[in-house]
Amino acid sequence: MAGSFDPVAYNRAAWDREVESGSEWTRPAGPEVIARARDGDWSVVLIGYQPVPRDWFPVDLAGAAVLCLASGGGQQGPVLSAAGAAVTVLDNSPRQLSRDQEVAAREELAIRTVLGDMRDLSVFPDASFDVVFNPVSNVFCPDLAPVWRESSRVLRPGGILMSGFMNPDIFIFDITALDERGELTVRHPLPFTSLDLPETERQRAYGTGPIEYSHSQTEQIGGQLAAGFIVTHLAEAPHHADATARFMPGYFATRAIKP
C-alpha cells in the first residue's frame, strides 16, 4: 500500500466516512452553544476535552482574523465566529467543511471554508491572520515542517499559533490490545505510522479510519522553534478515549508567537 500511496487522498475519503458515521469530532455545535458564544460565554478545545485557556487568545477576539487549520467539523470555527472573530476554516475533508457551512447557514455566521492540505497554505497571502488554531490533526499528516513554515508565513507579526498534538509515546502500544482489552502492551518502535502494519491488521485495528503518524517532540515543538516561533505556553491532557489516560498524557498543546 505504501508504494504509490497518497495519504492526503486517503485521509480525505476517510474523514468523509467519519462524518457519515457520526464520529464525535464531526458533530457540529448546536444552537445553544452558538447563542452562549454570542453572549461571550465560549470555549474551544485543542486537546481532548480540555478548554483552551482564554488568555491564550487575543484580549479582544472581535474582528481577529482566525485560521482554523485542519479544524473542520462545525465545532471550533463556528464558536470563534460567534464570539466575534473573522474565521476561515481549512480542512482536507469536504464533508467536514460541510459541517461548518451547515452551522454558518443555520446561525447566519460569516465563515469562509477552504478545501486543502494543511502543509500548503498558498491560497492565503503572507500575513493574513492574527491566529492559527490547529487542534489535534497533524497526527494525520506525514510531515510537519511545512505546516509550521506555512503557519508562520500566513501569520502577522505578533500572531498566535495554537496547536494540539498526540503524545508520540501513545504509538508504542499494540492498538488492538489497547482498544479491545485496555492492555498497555509495548510493541512498536518510534517513529510509527499505521501504514507500517500489515494490511489485515491495519484494517482490524483502524478499520476505514484515517492513516496516523507519530511525530516526535522534536518535530512538534522543535519544528515550531525552527520556523521562528517563540513558544509561550505548554499544556497536557489525558487521551479522551483509551486506557493510557490512567498513566500518561495523551495530548500536548502549545501556544506560540510569531515575532
Side-chain angles (χ1 to χ4, degrees):
M1 182 177 182
S4 59
F5 180 66
D6 181 348
V8 174
Y10 185 93
N11 281 352
R12 177 173 293 171
W15 272 104
D16 283 352
R17 289 191 293 269
E18 292 291 300
V19 174
E20 295 302 327
S21 66
S23 169
E24 176 178 11
W25 305 110
T26 73
R27 300 170 194 161
E32 68 287 348
V33 172
I34 301 303
R36 288 199 302 271
R38 283 189 162 122
D39 289 337
D41 177 15
W42 59 271
S43 66
V44 288
V45 298
L46 278 172
I47 49 176
Y49 300 131
Q50 182 173 295
V52 181
R54 286 289 283 271
D55 64 3
W56 284 29
F57 287 90
V59 174
D60 186 2
L61 198 59
V66 175
L67 173 61
C68 290
L69 180 60
S71 179
Q75 299 179 359
Q76 297 95 0
V79 168
L80 294 172
S81 177
V87 172
T88 298
V89 181
L90 181 138
D91 200 272
N92 185 37
S93 161
R95 293 291 289 118
Q96 278 284 77
L97 291 175
S98 75
R99 294 303 202 196
D100 293 277
Q101 294 159 0
E102 171 188 327
V103 181
R106 186 191 73 212
E107 303 291 342
E108 298 183 340
L109 298 170
I111 298 175
R112 179 188 180 191
T113 58
V114 179
L115 181 67
D117 182 342
M118 66 190 301
R119 297 171 295 179
D120 180 7
L121 306 182
S122 57
V123 67
F124 305 121
D126 295 356
S128 298
F129 298 100
D130 301 300
V131 175
V132 172
F133 186 86
N134 174 222
V136 177
S137 58
N138 68 38
V139 66
F140 310 114
C141 183
D143 54 311
L144 300 188
V147 177
W148 308 135
R149 288 196 303 267
E150 281 289 88
S151 294
S152 177
R153 182 186 63 79
V154 301
L155 276 170
R156 296 168 181 145
I160 300 167
L161 168 67
M162 287 178 262
S163 184
F165 51 93
M166 291 284 291
N167 180 348
D169 293 347
I170 294 290
F171 290 95
I172 69 174
F173 300 112
D174 184 312
I175 190 171
T176 300
L178 187 63
D179 287 351
E180 294 182 1
R181 300 184 296 279
E183 297 175 358
L184 274 63
T185 302
V186 175
R187 178 183 176 191
H188 303 294
L190 299 178
F192 170 83
T193 168
S194 50
L195 281 174
D196 293 339
L197 298 173
E199 183 65 14
T200 54
E201 184 177 353
R202 189 182 66 79
Q203 288 291 337
R204 183 173 67 253
Y206 287 85
T208 61
I211 298 297
E212 296 185 6
Y213 301 83
S214 75
H215 292 296
S216 68
Q217 301 288 27
T218 298
E219 292 174 279
Q220 297 281 7
I221 300 174
Q224 293 179 42
L225 296 172
F229 285 102
I230 298 171
V231 176
T232 63
H233 295 73
L234 174 70
E236 60 186 32
H239 195 282
H240 70 285
D242 69 37
T244 62
R246 292 177 291 162
F247 304 101
M248 61 194 296
Y251 302 109
F252 297 104
T254 53
R255 177 188 185 271
I257 299 290
K258 176 181 175 177

